[in-house]
Amino acid sequence: EMSPKRIKSIRASYGLTQVAFSILLDISYDTYRNWEIGHRNPCTSAVSLLTLAEQNPKVFLKQQKQYKNGAPR
C-alpha cells in the first residue's frame, strides 16, 4: 500500500509540483491529486512505478524519458 504521505514525500524528493509530477508519471493531474490527498489509491502498476521512483530515481527518470520519446521499454 502507498500512503498519501509517502506519495507526497516521493514527489517532494524530486522537487516537483503535483502537476509536473503527474506529467512525469504520465497520468492526469486529478488522478495524482486524489492519490496525494487520500481520496483514491493508486493501482498496483502505479504503486510499482511510484516505488521505482522512490527507490531508484535514476532508473525511473531514464525509463520515463525513454517512454516519452517512444523508445521501447
Side-chain angles (χ1 to χ4, degrees):
E1 176 123 348
M2 185 71 63
S3 72
K5 184 176 179 179
R6 186 172 167 197
I7 293 168
K8 184 176 183 176
S9 175
I10 295 166
R11 175 181 61 81
S13 74
Y14 284 82
L16 297 174
T17 64
Q18 288 181 341
V19 171
F21 200 55
S22 69
I23 291 168
L24 183 62
L25 292 171
D26 198 31
I27 60 170
S28 76
Y29 164 71
D30 288 335
T31 295
Y32 179 79
R33 182 175 47 86
N34 282 325
W35 294 349
E36 196 170 290
I37 62 176
H39 287 179
R40 301 202 70 170
N41 294 319
C43 66
T44 303
S45 59
V47 169
S48 295
L49 188 59
L50 289 163
T51 301
L52 176 63
E54 178 181 46
Q55 295 178 353
N56 201 333
K58 287 183 182 180
V59 171
F60 170 73
L61 291 171
K62 181 179 178 183
Q63 182 268 335
Q64 290 306 96
K65 182 178 179 182
Q66 288 177 344
Y67 174 76
K68 300 243 185 269
N69 290 335
R73 294 185 212 177

